[in-house]
Amino acid sequence: MAVTRLEIDLNALRHNYTYLKNKLKPDVKMMAVVKAFGYGSDACEVALELEKMGVFYFSVAYASEGAALREVGITSPILVLHPQPDNFPIILEKCLEPSLYSSRIFNEFNAFAKAHSQQNYPVHLKFNTGLNRLGFSENETGWILDQLQKTTAIKVASVFSHLAASDDLAEDNFTKSQIRAFNGIQDSLLSKLAYRPFLHQSNTSAIINYPEAQFDVVRTGIGLYGYGNTPEEDKMLRPVAALKTTISQIHTLQKGESVGYNRAHIASAFQRIATLPIGHADGISRAFGNGKGYVVIHGSKAPIVGNVCMDMLMVNITDIDCQEGDDVVIFDKEVSLVALASKIQSISYEILTAVSQRVKRVVVR
Ligand SMILES: *Cc1c(COP(=O)(O)O)cnc(C)c1O
């Protein structure tokens, strides 16, 4: 295929799911995080495949992402990590399950569920144990238990928290303090509830680094897509997404000629330059311009020259035997996304989710 495309390898997804599942203690279940279009891949294709494999739950950041899953027929429960009062109607309509993370959002959702005659609507209680992003604080458990006594509109499906640095062993003490705090919170809540919600605190890195934090369920995002935060783990996982394009045109430059906007690149000698149909509107940051980033053509690295344009970029192919129409790889199983991301002080998560919706998604098996 001679267009810019993101290939999505569902066999790789199956491999990663099975690999991570095998890292879990018996009976620990997996919640697949498919927010942000499935980390930039295709949330619906990914979720349909994982549902077939028997994943326990899905989670998304925003309600619209959950609604999109329902529209393609996903029937598994879906946790919405960041529900917002404006989105409560869609949450109810699509049977999505909100994370309640503050007294304000708890009261508003409880009132909304009551007003819509709900009974035992599943909700998830999120606690802040140190990330200081979203979550109730530990000293609010008494208030929460009081409110739960007074309502039949909602019922707690799970209690959870999120780790700030599970990928960073230099923060081991901090992570352990988060796990201790979560254990304290779940003890005080569960001892006073008549039923038992499931518990979860781990993301991908915690599965690997903190088996003691697996509780009942783990929330896995980046690992499913093939990245693990350490080179050792990356070797065991398989990248799901591969970003590829093609050469649109080749120019030859004489010494002193320039390339692209603002003449940011000036040829120091004879050069061959290829123009590629991918730009910052497709997710290739301008930060990759002027030699920071590169693509791979027939196995050789071609550095980006000049500024990345909105719809195109130019690479130096002086030393590469290639022609117009040839295939170009930005990242795939061999061309490391992690190495590319590091050139602009970024990480796999950011480069993956930046691939814009203009780029055609192609499922491969
Ligand atoms: C994104 C997210 C995850 C997934 O994290 P990974 O590092 O991608 O596994 C888990 N939990 C919450 C609350 C998240 O926001």
Side-chain angles (χ1 to χ4, degrees):
M1 190 181 285
V3 297
T4 299
R5 73 271 183 197
L6 189 74
E7 292 178 358
I8 297 156
D9 181 349
L10 294 181
N11 286 342
L13 177 73
R14 296 181 82 93
H15 166 87
N16 299 334
Y17 175 83
T18 307
Y19 175 78
L20 292 163
K21 199 95 206 323
N22 286 335
K23 293 251 167 197
L24 304 181
K25 298 174 192 163
D27 302 329
V28 175
K29 293 179 186 153
M30 200 183 280
M31 180 182 287
V33 182
V34 295
K35 62 194 180 189
F37 300 102
Y39 287 45
S41 65
D42 182 323
C44 295
E45 291 288 353
V46 163
L48 287 166
E49 193 71 16
L50 291 171
E51 189 165 74
K52 273 190 258 169
M53 297 196 73
V55 76
F56 175 55
Y57 245 84
F58 289 105
S59 67
V60 293
Y62 295 101
S64 60
E65 298 173 327
L69 298 182
R70 288 287 182 244
E71 270 142 39
V72 297
I74 293 293
T75 56
S76 306
I78 301 172
L79 162 59
V80 179
L81 293 165
H82 205 165
Q84 294 159 304
D86 281 350
N87 293 327
F88 289 169
I90 188 166
I91 286 179
L92 232 60
E93 185 193 325
K94 300 291 181 186
C95 290
L96 308 174
E97 304 180 6
S99 157
L100 304 184
Y101 56 82
S102 69
S103 55
R104 177 181 74 95
I105 205 89
F106 183 107
N107 284 334
E108 291 202 31
F109 189 77
N110 185 34
F112 186 86
K114 214 176 271 175
H116 289 80
S117 314
Q118 298 299 310
Q119 288 288 322
N120 296 329
Y121 196 92
V123 300
H124 302 258
L125 298 178
K126 167 93 174 267
F127 282 87
N128 174 24
T129 51
L131 182 61
N132 289 317
R133 193 171 69 175
L134 293 179
F136 282 108
S137 65
E138 184 163 8
N139 63 24
E140 289 175 287
T141 54
W143 180 87
I144 293 169
L145 285 163
D146 282 349
Q147 304 309 306
L148 289 172
Q149 289 274 306
K150 292 187 225 154
T151 181
T152 56
I154 60 174
K155 184 173 177 183
V156 182
S158 84
V159 177
F160 74 110
S161 184
H162 193 35
L163 297 170
S166 63
D167 58 320
D168 183 359
L169 293 178
E171 294 292 354
D172 185 56
N173 284 337
F174 182 82
T175 303
K176 286 185 170 141
S177 78
Q178 282 199 279
I179 298 169
R180 267 196 309 278
F182 185 60
N183 265 312
I185 291 162
Q186 62 99 356
D187 267 351
S188 60
L189 268 175
L190 268 49
S191 61
K192 294 184 191 89
L193 275 179
Y195 53 94
R196 191 181 181 287
F198 65 87
L199 307 173
H200 45 121
Q201 189 175 30
S202 291
N203 63 345
T204 301
S205 296
I207 294 176
I208 294 150
N209 294 335
Y210 296 95
E212 70 271 31
Q214 289 183 4
F215 298 98
D216 302 310
V217 170
V218 294
R219 299 184 305 274
T220 322
I222 198 74
L224 287 173
Y225 305 96
Y227 299 92
N229 289 323
T230 66
E232 298 74 52
E233 285 302 325
D234 284 347
K235 261 186 237 139
M236 307 306 291
L237 296 162
R238 295 195 198 145
V240 166
L243 184 59
K244 298 180 183 173
T245 189
T246 184
I247 299 177
S248 294
Q249 192 177 12
I250 293 176
H251 290 286
T252 53
L253 306 182
Q254 302 305 322
K255 180 177 178 181
E257 289 189 293
S258 64
V259 175
Y261 287 130
N262 302 102
R263 308 190 65 207
H265 173 74
I266 308 279
S268 55
F270 169 86
Q271 284 179 340
R272 287 174 81 227
I273 301 292
T275 302
L276 311 180
I278 186 168
H280 61 74
D282 301 290
I284 306 299
S285 168
R286 284 184 89 250
F288 281 120
N290 299 302
K292 285 265 175 66
Y294 52 83
V295 302
V296 171
I297 302 173
H298 303 320
S300 299
K301 271 188 192 172
I304 296 175
V305 294
N307 291 316
V308 173
C309 312
M310 186 186 293
D311 313 306
M312 285 168 264
L313 57 81
M314 280 69 87
V315 294
N316 186 344
I317 52 160
T318 309
D319 300 322
I320 303 174
D321 182 13
C322 59
Q323 299 171 29
E324 293 178 357
D326 283 2
D327 241 1
V328 174
V329 175
I330 292 100
F331 56 80
D332 67 0
K333 290 185 172 55
E334 279 87 41
V335 180
S336 165
L337 168 66
V338 175
L340 183 65
S342 72
K343 299 288 180 192
I344 59 165
Q345 288 73 50
S346 185
I347 55 173
S348 56
Y349 298 75
E350 187 179 31
I351 309 292
L352 284 175
T353 57
V355 177
S356 78
Q357 293 301 300
R358 184 165 77 176
V359 175
K360 186 179 172 65
R361 267 61 177 174
V362 182
V363 170
V364 297
R365 280 178 191 273

